[in-house]
């Protein structure tokens, strides 16, 4: 026997249809607004992280893994040396870099400490401590000098270890290379502690001229200068003594390389690839590619001729003051902080 139809069934069906239509409309609106409001990926943090790595993968130092002897860095241990022993400081450094590839989020390790003096270390010989700093641009020093038996180094991950050379023409962002030139980088980090860089300036400007093309490659059959394709300055701030920098990692100078003149504090940014200079200069960083426009702009300012120890040079008619500032990253943006 058939069941008597319920008069409320048409009303119930209509209600369900209206509810489904409402849910569908909300879904469409959500998808549309998500597409419109999605970040473009051009925030300062994302931009610098994308540009980072031009001169090497991982921590930015390519195949370098150097540290400072008789120097111990502190920090929260992420891998205890008592349970992790290796054969060399380079192997310890590599272990830290393996935890800082940038492929799986932020660096888990940014500091390594190795005990490599068998006599001084005793049962600690071979210990490799992997650590994490609260502030990678201001690492916590535990001990230094001849009495320390440790060798230490730092690693900057993708988007980290970037400082700004602020000028009236814009900020030139420089990625530091502590794995290649640790003494040089610690000199820069020491400079960041001060609120001023009085006396720091660019004073010499040599364009690429007809010697190097826009990519910095040498033009066939051209001379090697002058002009020499560089922007030279000093980080010798008044009242701030910087340690003499020993000769460190010396790759070929490439477009964007930042290197010391001698032992500093004079330095230069190269506008060209200078294979002819071979390994004559200590490279401690490189300019992020898009900021080379600012370097080129300063290099094209009015100059006057001069002769330095028998070499024809061009110096800026009006030196360009600069200030060294640290870059503080957050989830949303990058801010310049003193």
């Amino acid at each position: 026997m058939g069941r008597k139809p319920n008069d409320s069934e048409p009303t119930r069906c209509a209600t369900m249809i209206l509810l489904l239509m409402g849910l569908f409309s909300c879904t469409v609106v959500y998808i549309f607004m998500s597409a419109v409001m999605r970040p473009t990926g051009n925030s300062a943090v994302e931009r610098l992280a994308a540009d980072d790595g031009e001169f090497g993968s991982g921590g930015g130092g390519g195949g370098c893994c150097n540290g400072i002897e008789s120097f111990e860095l502190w920090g929260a241990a992420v891998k205890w040396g008592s349970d992790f022993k290796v054969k060399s400081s380079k192997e310890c450094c590599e272990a830290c870099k393996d935890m800082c590839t940038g492929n799986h989020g932020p660096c888990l390790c940014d500091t390594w400490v190795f005990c490599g003096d068998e006599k001084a270390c005793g049962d600690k010989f071979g210990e490799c401590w992997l650590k994490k700093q609260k502030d990678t641009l201001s690492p916590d020093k535990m001990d230094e000098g001849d009495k320390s038996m440790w060798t230490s180094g730092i690693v900057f991950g993708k988007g980290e270890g970037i400082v700004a050379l602020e000028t009236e023409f814009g900020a030139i962002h420089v990625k530091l290379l502590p794995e290649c030139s640790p003494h040089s980088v610690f000199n820069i980090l020491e400079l960041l502690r001060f609120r001023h860089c009085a006396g720091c300036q660019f004073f010499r400007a040599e364009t690429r001229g007809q010697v190097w093309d826009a990519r910095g490659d040498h033009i066939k059959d051209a001379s090697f200068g002058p002009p020499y394709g560089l922007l030279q300055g000093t980080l010798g701030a008044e009242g701030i003594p910087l340690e003499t920098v020993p000769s460190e990692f010396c790759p070929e100078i490439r477009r964007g390389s930042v290197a010391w003149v001698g032992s500093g504090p004079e330095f230069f940014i190269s506008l060209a690839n200078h294979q002819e200079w071979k390994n004559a200069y200590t490279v401690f960083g490189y300019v992020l590619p898009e900021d080379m426009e600012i370097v080129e702009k300063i290099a094209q300012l009015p100059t006057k001729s001069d002769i330095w120890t028998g070499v024809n040079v061009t110096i800026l008619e009006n030196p360009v003051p600069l200030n060294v500032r640290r870059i503080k990253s957050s989830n949303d943006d990058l801010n310049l902080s003193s």
Side-chain angles (χ1 to χ4, degrees):
M1 182 182 293
R3 185 170 60 87
K4 182 181 178 180
N6 191 328
D7 293 338
S8 65
E9 287 184 358
T11 301
R12 184 181 303 166
C13 291
T15 301
M16 290 296 295
I17 291 172
L18 289 174
L19 180 60
L20 290 173
M21 289 178 65
L23 288 173
F24 177 76
S25 299
C26 290
T27 302
V28 171
V29 171
Y30 173 78
I31 293 173
F32 173 77
M33 292 302 293
S34 296
V36 171
M37 301 301 291
R38 184 180 294 117
T40 61
N42 290 326
S43 70
V45 168
E46 291 173 324
R47 173 175 60 82
L48 292 180
D51 284 343
D52 187 8
E54 178 76 6
F55 281 37
S57 59
C64 302
C65 245
N66 300 325
I68 299 177
E69 296 181 355
S70 302
F71 181 55
E72 182 182 0
L73 287 170
W74 204 235
V78 296
K79 199 162 191 175
W80 288 65
S82 53
D83 301 322
F84 181 52
K85 293 192 175 184
V86 296
K87 297 179 180 179
S88 67
S89 60
K90 182 176 182 180
E91 192 174 341
C92 186
C93 171
E94 291 287 359
C96 186
K97 289 179 72 172
D98 286 343
M99 299 175 68
C100 192
T101 61
N103 297 328
H104 306 288
C107 286
L108 300 177
C109 171
D110 54 34
T111 303
W112 58 271
V113 181
F114 174 72
C115 203
D117 186 328
E118 187 171 5
K119 182 178 180 180
C121 295
D123 59 0
K124 295 182 180 296
F125 178 64
E127 285 190 2
C128 174
W129 290 79
L130 304 183
K131 304 179 180 182
K132 180 71 175 175
Q133 297 289 330
K134 291 182 180 179
D135 183 354
T136 54
L137 289 180
S138 183
D140 190 4
K141 301 177 184 179
M142 180 63 179
D143 190 22
E144 59 183 316
D146 296 336
K147 294 182 180 180
S148 179
M149 61 188 181
W150 301 94
T151 296
S152 301
I154 55 177
V155 171
F156 290 139
K158 214 168 181 59
E160 299 177 342
I162 298 172
V163 298
L165 304 182
E166 289 186 324
T167 75
E168 60 188 284
F169 300 97
I172 302 169
H173 295 95
V174 175
K175 170 77 174 186
L176 300 175
L177 301 175
E179 311 99 302
C180 297
S181 308
H183 289 90
S184 300
V185 170
F186 270 94
N187 247 8
I188 301 298
L189 298 186
E190 185 67 19
L191 193 58
L192 291 177
R193 295 177 52 244
F194 299 89
R195 292 181 177 273
H196 73 88
C197 198
C200 297
Q201 61 180 348
F202 289 115
F203 53 77
R204 176 186 177 189
E206 307 262 347
T207 65
R208 288 177 284 104
Q210 303 298 315
V211 180
W212 291 274
D213 62 22
R215 297 176 58 185
D217 293 327
H218 183 252
I219 297 174
K220 186 178 180 180
D221 297 330
S223 68
F224 286 95
Y228 295 99
L230 60 83
L231 184 63
Q232 184 175 336
T234 179
L235 293 177
E238 297 176 3
I240 303 177
L242 290 180
E243 293 184 9
T244 300
V245 181
S247 179
E248 298 186 282
F249 181 61
C250 303
E252 289 184 347
I253 300 295
R254 298 170 54 183
R255 176 175 167 81
S257 294
V258 186
W260 297 116
V261 176
S263 299
E266 291 189 9
F267 74 104
F268 67 91
I269 299 173
S270 180
L271 279 65
N273 301 316
H274 285 288
Q275 290 89 348
E276 76 279 8
W277 290 350
K278 301 187 184 297
N279 308 111
Y281 300 97
T282 294
V283 177
F284 61 87
Y286 63 87
V287 175
L288 298 190
E290 68 179 38
D291 288 347
M292 286 302 293
E293 292 183 8
I294 302 173
V295 179
E296 293 274 6
K297 185 174 183 179
I298 297 175
Q300 293 171 7
L301 293 174
T303 60
K304 55 186 178 182
S305 298
D306 201 352
I307 299 178
W308 293 356
T309 59
V311 178
N312 293 320
V313 300
T314 54
I315 58 176
L316 291 167
E317 291 184 356
N318 297 300
V320 176
L322 65 90
N323 203 356
V324 184
R325 296 287 179 135
R326 59 177 292 154
I327 297 296
K328 182 178 180 181
S329 61
S330 67
N331 292 331
D332 301 318
D333 206 347
L334 263 169
N335 301 300
L336 292 179
S337 168
S338 62

